[in-house]
Amino acid sequence: PILLKRLFRHSSPPPQVTIALLKTAGSQRSRRDSLENPEIASILEEVADVLEIQNENPFRIRAYRNAVRTVESLTTPLRKWVEEKRPLTDLQGIGKEMANHIREMVETGTLGFRDELLAEVPRSLIELMRLPGMKPKNSRPSKCPPRKHQLLA
């Protein structure tokens, strides 16, 4: 905005100039907006939790949990790995799919896969997971009818 005022002191800039400037400003992520390792680990943990609620493949859930441990243990920001185009699959517990997820989070600040999963799960279940002592398995809807001792309580 300040630059535009200097360039166009006596008149407003043409619309195409304003649109072009907004597009370039919006497409470039600053280093400050990039996700850091703890945020990436948190998102991957949330994906693992939602997959567990959905009773998905336990090996896939474990892959996300292993990736969380790897990301949390790193001393180098993953942002640097992506900027330097280093293969993320060199990290223990990071496969091709996980590397793509991490790259997406570093470049865009979000993970589309997580957004899709969260759309499938009721918000109340996600809130239940955040309560102390509640694990994803505890917050999963039961497929079995309650037992007698559960009805009496």
Side-chain angles (χ1 to χ4, degrees):
I2 295 170
L3 179 64
L4 289 177
K5 286 181 182 176
R6 288 183 187 157
L7 290 173
F8 300 96
R9 282 194 178 130
H10 302 292
S11 65
S12 62
Q16 58 270 32
V17 171
T18 306
I19 291 169
L21 286 172
L22 288 174
K23 281 183 181 175
T24 56
S27 65
Q28 298 172 345
R29 286 190 63 79
S30 69
R31 300 179 97 207
R32 192 182 70 217
D33 293 342
S34 179
L35 293 179
E36 296 300 322
N37 291 6
E39 297 163 317
I40 292 170
S42 175
I43 290 172
L44 293 175
E45 182 74 34
E46 190 173 30
V47 168
D49 290 344
V50 173
L51 288 174
E52 197 166 343
I53 286 173
Q54 293 179 334
N55 208 19
E56 288 289 331
N57 184 337
F59 295 105
R60 189 172 189 201
I61 296 166
R62 187 177 313 141
Y64 279 92
R65 300 222 189 272
N66 289 341
V68 168
R69 281 191 290 279
T70 298
V71 171
E72 288 175 337
S73 68
L74 286 176
T75 55
T76 308
L78 285 167
R79 173 181 32 82
K80 269 190 166 179
W81 281 69
V82 172
E83 287 172 357
E84 295 170 0
K85 300 197 183 325
R86 292 168 63 184
L88 296 171
T89 53
D90 287 353
L91 296 168
Q92 182 180 357
I94 306 294
K96 282 174 38 178
E97 181 181 356
M98 206 64 64
N100 290 334
H101 286 334
I102 292 169
R103 194 170 292 106
E104 179 185 348
M105 286 185 275
V106 168
E107 292 172 353
T108 67
T110 188
L111 181 59
F113 179 62
R114 179 191 70 162
D115 298 339
E116 291 171 16
L117 286 175
L118 292 177
E120 297 172 7
V121 175
R123 203 81 176 127
S124 57
L125 281 181
I126 295 167
E127 295 302 320
L128 272 176
M129 283 187 335
R130 294 190 178 123
L131 292 174
M134 287 298 287
K135 303 265 191 250
K137 283 186 179 182
N138 299 356
S139 54
R140 181 180 345 162
S142 177
K143 294 179 182 174
C144 303
R147 297 185 182 149
K148 281 185 183 179
H149 71 280
Q150 291 172 327
L151 291 174
L152 297 175

